[in-house]
Amino acid sequence: MTTSTQIILAATPTGAVSEANFAHSEITLPELADGEFLVSVKYVSIDPTIRGWIAYDTYLPKIPEGDVIRSLGAGEVIQTNNDAYPIGSRVTGMTNWQSRVIMTNAFRIPDGVTYEDALSVMGMTGLTAWYGMLEIGKPQAGETVVVSGAAGAVGSLAGQVAKIRGARVVGLAGTPEKCDWITNDLGFDACINYRAQSVPKALRETCPDGIDIYFDNVGGEILNDVLGQISDRARIVMCGAISGYDSADLPPGPANLVNVIPRRATLQGFIVLDHFDRAAESATEMAGWMAEGKLISKVDITDGLDNAPAALMALFTGGNTGKSLVRL
Amino acid sequence: MTTSTQIILAATPTGAVSEANFAHSEITLPELADGEFLVSVKYVSIDPTIRGWIAYDTYLPKIPEGDVIRSLGAGEVIQTNNDAYPIGSRVTGMTNWQSRVIMTNAFRIPDGVTYEDALSVMGMTGLTAWYGMLEIGKPQAGETVVVSGAAGAVGSLAGQVAKIRGARVVGLAGTPEKCDWITNDLGFDACINYRAQSVPKALRETCPDGIDIYFDNVGGEILNDVLGQISDRARIVMCGAISGYDSADLPPGPANLVNVIPRRATLQGFIVLDHFDRAAESATEMAGWMAEGKLISKVDITDGLDNAPAALMALFTGGNTGKSLVRL
């Protein structure tokens, strides 16, 4: 008899998320049916989008109370009734926050790729940065690109992709340590510490000719500040709005949105799940840039499934640098 | 000696516009230089964008105090030093708010086209509706399109263009008379009186499957209400934000903008001056639809150049139906 440890949604959050919203649960898994395989989960992925899934319907239905937390993850096949997934294969997919999961379909991790890379730069996080920056932002050499959440999983990669395409890149982050990492290690041209500086003033100083592309992970006031400073034909990549995810009420909208008309700007929202068909292309290109030393991927690892809720909460207080993973 | 009557900017407005912002002026025009021609202005065009030009730099520099009000207009060539514009030619161009103007370049109005059509459905107003709806909104048969300012110059045409392409079209306007005109004469499928109805509720009732395209002429609260009700891959055509033009401060932004991410929506601003190259194509198509009885163009005429400021102010209080022109 196989058991699995799960973190379930104990109570739907109404304001800020706390430990009380989650509970530890032990379940017994059924025997494998035809086509199924059992995965021993090694890592689960801690993503801001989970904050939406536990609270309301988004692009996916809300997670019901009592159900396991939906999540990407990676692990090793330890039992199988599916020839495409022999014992010992390493896979990524929707493992959810649990120690063992029965699956019928997953992505095989190629030899030579670590679990950590498979769940970050070469996974959905990397695809989000790659697709959003290259297919929506479309940076040209010499353009000025601003990235918020620049020390985060997606932002740190998105900014580096824009640098590779020859753009000037300015990041926003919330501590001096993050800003140092962004400029010294990632090679951004400048970093604004939004907690210590006046963002509108810092944007005027670092982007004197205006902002051509804004890769937005945070929404809220910073989005408004950027919209006050955009160039003609600016592209705003609407990737996330993490500043508002943990609030009971919707934060105010950006008054400077009116600037989109005289500046002929475009704001475009996207969801990475729509662009799975580009995953191999993104992973190949990202891996190539890493091999050439042009791209750095950082993971921020927390040990123990029971610490997954705390790792999720840390996303909303700026606690992580790079891609947050929980290792089982 | 040729004289011209002008309406000039007496004082830059800070809040709502009043007569005190304008003054009547008489000037003497110089002799015509080589290549110049003198136009006797017959109509000037009353457009919401003038409200921006008198207050601050937009896509064009602010009009300085003491200068004539910048404006499109139409008239007849009465003196000429330019063979391309013989006496008696009818032209449209930047005549400004004045009775006579020396020009070096203008559009010749084709025979058979009235001044009124040249300044509305077959001019920049028509191009704004045609380009914004067809090139940015891209309505498909069966899609649901919402148009604000639907009794206005651009909105009334934009909605009809979407109907011609087979969309369901819902308009918003501010009086029962306008709503009757929109549904009975223009053939929109429904009209919401935003002053008498709850807009979010009325949008849910008239657009039960969500809003695929929103052609926005007003901004403000209605934009927020629409963003709360968009479908997947919705397109928001950011044409104008007239609800905020007459305020001293920027109105609040739309809190529902966050919905753009899960709905994968796009907001795009545009300025019709960028799309002059499509003017002939738009005018030809619009004229064809009028000839087939598929498109109605209405002009709302005020007599006397001195009434131009009042006609401009009426745009912000919902005083006009269709395209506002001042006839000299």
Side-chain angles (χ1 to χ4, degrees), chain B residues 191-261:
Chain B
C191 182
I192 297 167
N193 179 345
Y194 68 87
R195 286 180 168 145
Q197 295 177 258
S198 154
V199 173
K201 182 165 175 286
L203 287 172
R204 282 193 297 274
E205 287 167 359
T206 56
C207 309
D209 301 326
I211 297 160
D212 299 304
I213 297 173
Y214 175 48
F215 194 106
D216 187 17
N217 292 302
V218 304
E221 260 182 68
I222 293 175
L223 172 59
N224 190 52
D225 295 337
V226 168
L227 287 170
Q229 186 76 3
I230 49 175
S231 304
D232 281 356
R233 296 174 185 80
R235 289 85 76 195
I236 316 295
V237 185
M238 305 278 282
C239 180
I242 199 167
S243 71
Y245 292 174
D246 222 17
S247 310
D249 301 307
L250 277 181
N256 286 326
L257 185 66
V258 294
N259 209 14
V260 162
I261 303 175

Side-chain angles (χ1 to χ4, degrees), chain A residues 58-59 223 233 238-241 250-258 260-271 274, chain B residues 58-59 223 233 238-241 245 250-258 260-271 274:
Chain A
T58 54
Y59 55 99
L223 172 58
R233 295 176 187 77
M238 304 278 282
C239 179
L250 277 181
N256 286 327
L257 185 65
V258 293
V260 162
I261 303 174
R263 296 281 74 82
R264 303 91 158 148
T266 302
L267 288 85
Q268 186 170 343
F270 77 108
I271 294 293
D274 297 340
Chain B
T58 55
Y59 54 101
L223 172 59
R233 296 174 185 80
M238 305 278 282
C239 180
Y245 292 174
L250 277 181
N256 286 326
L257 185 66
V258 294
V260 162
I261 303 175
R263 296 280 74 83
R264 305 90 157 145
T266 303
L267 289 83
Q268 187 171 345
F270 77 109
I271 294 293
D274 297 341

Side-chain angles (χ1 to χ4, degrees), chain B residues 84-147:
Chain B
Y85 299 90
I87 287 175
S89 343
R90 298 179 315 134
V91 297
T92 65
M94 280 288 181
T95 61
N96 307 323
W97 284 3
Q98 56 195 342
S99 63
R100 291 195 183 85
V101 57
I102 294 173
M103 304 182 88
T104 55
N105 195 15
F107 290 89
R108 294 279 300 269
I109 301 175
D111 290 342
V113 174
T114 63
Y115 284 125
E116 294 177 4
D117 281 349
L119 283 176
S120 58
V121 64
M122 295 174 69
M124 288 304 102
T125 298
L127 179 60
T128 303
W130 180 90
Y131 184 89
M133 184 56 77
L134 296 181
E135 294 293 320
I136 301 178
K138 297 188 168 72
Q140 307 298 310
E143 285 194 318
T144 296
V145 176
V146 171
V147 178

Side-chain angles (χ1 to χ4, degrees), chain B residues 1-23:
Chain B
M1 219 171 61
T2 305
T3 60
S4 178
T5 302
Q6 296 187 326
I7 306 294
I8 64 170
L9 182 63
T12 299
T14 52
V17 174
S18 73
E19 293 283 352
N21 299 114
F22 302 93

